Amino acid sequence: MILTDLDKKLFTLHTKNITYQMKVDEYGFLLHTYYGERIDDEDMSKFIQYLWRGFSGHPYEMNGRFDWSLDTLPQEYSTYGSGDYRSPSLHVINTDGSSDCDLRYNGYEIIDGKPGIKGLPATYGSSDEVQTLKVELLDKISGIGVDLYYSVFEEKDIITRSAVIKNGGKGRVWLERAMSMCVDYNIVPDFDIVTFYGRQLGEKFVERTSLRHGKTVMDSLRGSSSSQQTPFFILCDKSTGETQGNCYAFCLVYSGSFMTEVEKDQGDQVRVNMGIQPESFRWELNAGDEFCTPEVIMSFSREGFGQLSRNYHNIIHHNLTRGKYHLSRRPILINNWEATYFNFTEEKLLKIAEDASKLGIEMMVMDDGWFGKRDDATSGLGDWFVNTKKLPSGLTKFCQKINDMGMKFGLWFEPEMISEDSDLFRAHPDWVLRTAGRDGMLGRCQFVIDMSRGDVVDYLYNSISSVLSSANIEYFKWDANRQIANAWTALLPAERQGEVMHRYVLGLYDLLERLTSSFPNILFETCSGGGNRFDAGMLYYAPQTWASDNSDAFARLFIQYGTSFMFPVSTMGAHVSVSPNEQVGRITPLKTRGVVAMAGTFGYELDTNLMTDEEKEIVKEQVETYKKYYDLINYGDYYRLSDPYKTDRYVAWMFLSEDKSKALVNYVQVRAYSNAPAIYVRLQGLKENSTYVVNGAEYSGKSLMTCGIPVSSMMGDMVSLQIEVNEK
Ligand code: GLA
């Protein structure tokens, strides 16, 4: 709900449990007045503190008001050079080289539904579920305008933000920094900050610290969101935990270099800026042009991290992912990567598929190595035509053979990359993202292709489309196995090279949009050496992402725990692989590997021909179990029941049906201790007064939530249980 009080120039946004408010002050500045738990309709500007800030500047007309400076006032969008010394949202270099930008209120509009953002991914929704407020700001002298967009998903407790910068002046200007949003907390909170860092094979570790004075920055300069830091973070009260306490989260819908800057100033106020990383960004904006920033999805919960995560799961699943598969059943797949790596023949793959089909697996995915001259990582990328030495029948017939076994067929691509040893490179050495006159930088023996160029994107669209049209391909794994090191394009003049990183991302999105809409029946899964680009931007085009190249069940307990703070189970690629695990050498039971992979889009990544009959029986059971609980796992609510960072005894999570009548509790005993007392796993989200049946015994919902299910110590590390909970 969006309320406007035009006398007071007050804008109030309400969701079920959240209020966000802003007000235009007497001088025309758009001040932030409140964000947090839902309150009644009240003008919250009385909480703004006008503090002595003698040394900070203020606009000319306030001469003598020593208590008035943008340096202390909470704002909706801050600018560089305005007397506010905190981190700015916008830094413009004007035509005359100055950086002044004096943004004042210039009007508003309420839009039914939610407008899209040109060229960028964003949440969507019908006018029944979302309303948008646009507030216009303008610097009357330079003509620079900023439109701030606030979309309110009332039932989902979500507010999204983005900004459009417009050059309404007469000359060319440059954007040095154009953040998506700014939130100023003025009611002096003492926050903790929760962030998600990582590396390849170890993504989304959770880190919680006190927010210190100064700037805390989480970012990526890699041209991709990366696993180094995640474009998602949480601010919370010191006392906040999984099931109680105030917490705010911010999620950027963008897949390129990003920055989150959280600044606690000398007056203890906290500012959040989030958007495109400014270090590798400079955008020329000609008269009449506009620049759209990516979207930020914001949510708040007073019931701790669990509810906050479920708010994100809900919006991402229903209002961000798209296409045929976002709400429909996905096939259980087997991928040959860890089974064969590059070393496979048609015969070998058919044998794996044959075995897998007998176990109930529904799709065979042929990974890297099927195209061009690709026998290892040194060559072939860019040559998207089948390697007939490996697949003598050709792709169409090979796919037909898989289909004849009753299985679907999927294919791996790495569209953004090019090998030096490839026909494509030999024909177009200038299509590589590297500086003219220099060798360029390699990563995994490959260059990044220059996706900032429209002709390159067109070429890729045509060459990939012709492969997709040549056979009954029903799944597309979109990989990207290195990040950008030198962003220079042959097509732009020297003074516009600062645009390349963002133009690359726009090119990437363009190609994704064209391919996903031309091939609506294909299930797309993105990947970047695992979860190196697992972000909300990519999920707009492909409803799932391979969460990590580390498929060890123990490591996955942490990776999937961290990922679950923002992303729903239906987006998280998770497979069962061999033991000892190929990445860490750990030995874990097959059963537990299955339980852990069932907290994601389930599949296998191994050679079924090497399995014993006993193992094959276990796989059959796992496949049946996953099919049985598919709806509960993928459409139910997800609850974290433990924190793997706090105990090494167990990790537990549950899926609960929407009507709260059915749950599946998953429990992994991480370490066995001798003579250890039982663990009581407290459930969440049940109906307090209902009776539930667990392992044949009856419990009230309340007792399961306050006392928990007792689980006795079992023999061995990494052993697991799946426990059904049914309302009587
Ligand atoms: C990346 C992916 C793997 C596999 C290889 C192929 O590392 O994450 O799953 O596809 O590339 O080269």
Side-chain angles (χ1 to χ4, degrees):
M1 191 195 312
I2 298 172
L3 301 175
T4 50
D5 181 334
L6 294 184
D7 289 340
K8 291 187 186 151
K9 291 210 175 126
L10 190 68
F11 299 95
T12 308
L13 318 178
H14 287 306
T15 71
K16 242 177 6 180
N17 297 298
I18 303 172
T19 297
Y20 187 103
Q21 196 186 65
M22 68 202 88
K23 182 174 178 157
V24 182
D25 83 347
E26 57 193 299
Y27 303 106
F29 288 96
L30 183 64
L31 301 184
H32 174 80
T33 57
Y34 180 78
Y35 178 32
E37 183 176 346
R38 183 164 173 152
I39 47 158
D40 289 335
D41 299 331
E42 187 176 343
D43 180 349
M44 300 296 278
S45 63
K46 55 188 169 253
F47 290 99
I48 292 179
Q49 302 182 53
Y50 288 85
L51 300 168
W52 156 254
R53 199 55 106 241
F55 292 102
S56 308
H58 50 220
Y60 193 80
E61 72 243 56
M62 288 137 205
N63 191 16
R65 275 200 73 172
F66 296 121
D67 65 345
W68 204 106
S69 171
L70 286 175
D71 201 25
T72 67
L73 291 172
Q75 295 158 66
E76 286 299 317
Y77 204 67
S78 56
T79 56
Y80 180 82
S82 59
D84 179 354
Y85 297 102
R86 295 170 292 177
S87 77
S89 313
L90 182 67
H91 183 175
V92 186
I93 306 287
N94 295 308
T95 313
D96 62 6
S98 66
S99 290
D100 300 54
C101 189
D102 184 6
L103 293 177
R104 312 268 178 127
Y105 175 73
N106 193 43
Y108 81 99
E109 190 186 336
I110 292 181
I111 304 160
D112 263 349
K114 185 168 187 296
I117 305 179
K118 210 172 143 211
L120 289 169
T123 52
Y124 58 87
S126 69
S127 50
D128 295 341
E129 56 179 341
V130 55
Q131 263 197 318
T132 301
L133 168 70
K134 175 170 107 175
V135 184
E136 294 170 24
L137 307 176
L138 179 69
D139 178 327
K140 286 205 171 117
I141 293 181
S142 68
I144 296 297
V146 177
D147 292 347
L148 299 177
Y149 287 86
Y150 303 79
S151 294
V152 183
F153 290 85
E154 192 167 341
E155 286 305 307
K156 293 197 165 83
D157 278 335
I158 293 286
I159 297 173
T160 65
R161 300 268 314 259
S162 67
V164 175
I165 324 297
K166 296 167 154 180
N167 182 358
K170 292 205 172 64
R172 197 163 39 150
V173 304
W174 294 268
L175 305 181
E176 293 284 312
R177 171 193 276 247
M179 304 307 275
S180 297
M181 55 124 243
C182 167
V183 172
D184 275 346
Y185 293 89
N186 60 314
I187 303 172
V188 193
D190 189 12
F191 278 141
D192 274 358
I193 181 167
V194 183
T195 57
F196 301 83
Y197 75 97
R199 47 187 175 263
Q200 204 217 345
L201 300 164
E203 293 86 346
K204 297 192 170 46
F205 291 114
V206 184
E207 191 162 40
R208 177 175 181 163
T209 59
S210 285
L211 186 67
R212 59 168 179 82
H213 287 89
K215 291 175 189 160
T216 301
V217 175
M218 282 73 58
D219 68 349
S220 163
L221 279 163
R222 296 167 174 270
S224 111
S225 52
S226 90
S227 51
Q228 191 171 333
Q229 284 290 344
T230 304
F232 173 95
F233 80 103
I234 300 172
L235 289 173
C236 61
D237 287 349
K238 298 264 175 240
S239 57
T240 298
E242 187 62 25
T243 55
Q244 90 299 322
N246 291 331
C247 43
Y248 300 82
F250 301 82
C251 176
L252 185 68
V253 187
Y254 189 59
S255 311
S257 298
F258 74 93
M259 183 173 79
T260 303
E261 201 173 36
V262 186
E263 181 171 6
K264 184 168 180 176
D265 72 11
Q266 68 272 50
D268 289 351
Q269 301 187 116
V270 173
R271 166 169 293 176
V272 176
N273 267 302
M274 199 175 201
I276 296 173
Q277 161 49 267
E279 184 82 25
S280 50
F281 174 82
R282 185 170 216 255
W283 198 270
E284 183 178 291
L285 206 58
N286 287 300
D289 283 356
E290 58 182 44
F291 180 82
C292 301
T293 69
E295 173 168 286
V296 175
I297 307 173
M298 308 195 307
S299 191
F300 163 82
S301 155
R302 56 191 281 260
E303 290 160 26
F305 302 134
Q307 188 53 49
L308 190 67
S309 296
R310 286 186 290 282
N311 293 349
Y312 278 92
H313 297 171
N314 195 359
I315 192 89
I316 286 171
H317 199 173
H318 294 100
N319 301 83
L320 182 70
T321 58
R322 300 176 299 165
K324 174 177 158 184
Y325 279 104
H326 94 279
L327 291 175
S328 68
R329 208 184 161 291
R330 321 247 178 96
I332 297 175
L333 65 83
I334 183 155
N335 177 306
N336 73 301
W337 178 244
E338 287 195 26
T340 64
Y341 297 102
F342 292 104
N343 187 18
F344 60 84
T345 58
E346 179 169 332
E347 241 187 319
K348 174 73 198 160
L349 296 188
L350 289 173
K351 271 194 191 147
I352 295 179
E354 199 185 341
D355 256 2
S357 70
K358 289 183 195 143
L359 303 177
I361 296 172
E362 298 158 313
M363 181 161 71
M364 170 82 201
V365 175
M366 179 160 63
D367 210 276
D368 196 355
W370 60 268
F371 52 89
K373 183 178 139 255
R374 182 79 170 166
D375 295 321
D376 54 36
T378 61
S379 59
L381 292 172
D383 295 342
W384 302 115
F385 47 83
V386 72
N387 177 335
T388 44
K389 272 195 198 137
K390 282 186 182 168
L391 298 173
S393 312
L395 203 56
T396 319
K397 282 206 181 127
F398 177 69
C399 174
Q400 186 60 53
K401 288 181 190 175
I402 303 277
N403 288 167
D404 289 346
M405 294 173 191
M407 290 186 101
K408 294 177 189 294
F409 176 66
L411 208 52
W412 179 97
F413 288 86
E414 204 178 351
E416 300 153 77
M417 302 295 156
I418 182 166
S419 304
E420 210 172 359
D421 184 3
S422 67
D423 292 350
L424 186 64
F425 181 85
R426 283 182 280 276
H428 297 286
D430 55 327
W431 281 8
V432 165
L433 216 47
R434 61 171 170 176
T435 311
R438 295 180 188 265
D439 290 337
M441 297 185 79
L442 290 165
R444 207 198 191 202
C445 316
Q446 64 204 47
F447 286 119
V448 181
I449 207 164
D450 184 356
M451 304 272 289
S452 73
R453 295 173 62 139
D455 55 348
V456 171
V457 172
D458 286 346
Y459 171 84
L460 288 172
Y461 172 75
N462 291 329
S463 79
I464 293 171
S465 294
S466 70
V467 179
L468 298 180
S469 312
S470 72
N472 185 24
I473 295 161
E474 295 183 75
Y475 165 99
F476 186 123
K477 180 171 170 187
W478 183 300
D479 211 340
N481 282 318
R482 62 157 293 186
Q483 288 151 348
I484 299 172
N486 20 31
W488 193 91
T489 180
L491 287 198
L492 288 177
E495 68 276 15
R496 292 185 57 196
Q497 293 295 329
E499 297 176 24
V500 181
M501 285 290 218
H502 182 57
R503 287 191 183 278
Y504 178 91
V505 180
L506 294 177
L508 164 68
Y509 288 154
D510 182 26
L511 184 58
L512 277 160
E513 182 67 34
R514 286 161 71 180
L515 286 171
T516 50
S517 46
S518 298
F519 297 94
N521 292 324
I522 295 183
L523 168 61
F524 281 75
E525 172 158 0
T526 62
C527 169
S528 177
N532 282 282
R533 198 169 52 189
F534 195 165
D535 59 54
M538 296 307 279
L539 291 176
Y540 181 69
Y541 302 97
Q544 58 192 60
T545 298
W546 179 227
S548 178
D549 268 354
N550 189 343
S551 52
D552 167 54
F554 173 76
R556 280 284 184 141
L557 289 175
F558 287 82
I559 293 166
Q560 294 175 189
Y561 173 83
T563 308
S564 79
F565 276 77
M566 60 223 80
F567 298 135
V569 165
S570 65
T571 65
M572 241 188 267
H575 298 165
V576 175
S577 63
V578 291
S579 173
N581 174 268
E582 304 251 320
Q583 293 83 40
V584 293
R586 186 177 286 112
I587 294 173
T588 52
L590 179 54
K591 181 172 173 224
T592 299
R593 281 177 270 148
V595 170
V596 174
M598 280 186 219
T601 63
F602 190 62
Y604 291 83
E605 188 103 7
L606 41 71
D607 185 349
T608 41
N609 302 152
L610 302 178
M611 294 184 118
T612 62
D613 288 346
E614 198 190 330
E615 285 173 328
K616 284 183 182 167
E617 278 312 306
I618 297 179
V619 169
K620 255 193 204 166
E621 267 173 42
Q622 285 172 343
V623 166
E624 273 162 30
T625 307
Y626 189 68
K627 287 179 181 167
K628 177 175 167 198
Y629 294 117
Y630 187 91
D631 286 358
L632 191 55
I633 293 174
N634 285 279
Y635 311 129
D637 285 329
Y638 179 85
Y639 290 83
R640 291 179 291 265
L641 303 180
S642 70
D643 178 346
Y645 292 85
K646 289 202 174 133
T647 171
D648 67 350
R649 284 198 65 190
Y650 76 104
V651 178
W653 62 96
M654 74 183 249
F655 306 105
L656 179 63
S657 63
E658 207 184 336
D659 65 0
K660 301 179 184 300
S661 67
K662 199 176 175 55
L664 181 69
V665 176
N666 301 270
Y667 178 93
V668 177
Q669 173 177 288
V670 176
R671 264 176 187 273
Y673 285 94
S674 53
N675 195 18
I679 284 174
Y680 289 82
V681 183
R682 282 191 197 154
L683 308 194
Q684 297 172 33
L686 302 176
K687 291 185 255 181
E688 286 193 353
N689 298 322
S690 283
T691 303
Y692 290 89
V693 181
V694 184
N695 294 329
E698 291 187 4
Y699 301 83
S700 69
K702 185 149 195 179
S703 72
L704 287 173
M705 293 192 290
T706 50
C707 306
I709 301 178
V711 183
S712 307
S713 184
M714 297 176 279
M715 294 295 281
D717 290 349
M718 289 298 290
V719 289
S720 56
L721 294 171
Q722 285 182 308
I723 306 165
E724 246 193 52
V725 178
N726 288 307
E727 192 178 9
K728 201 177 159 194

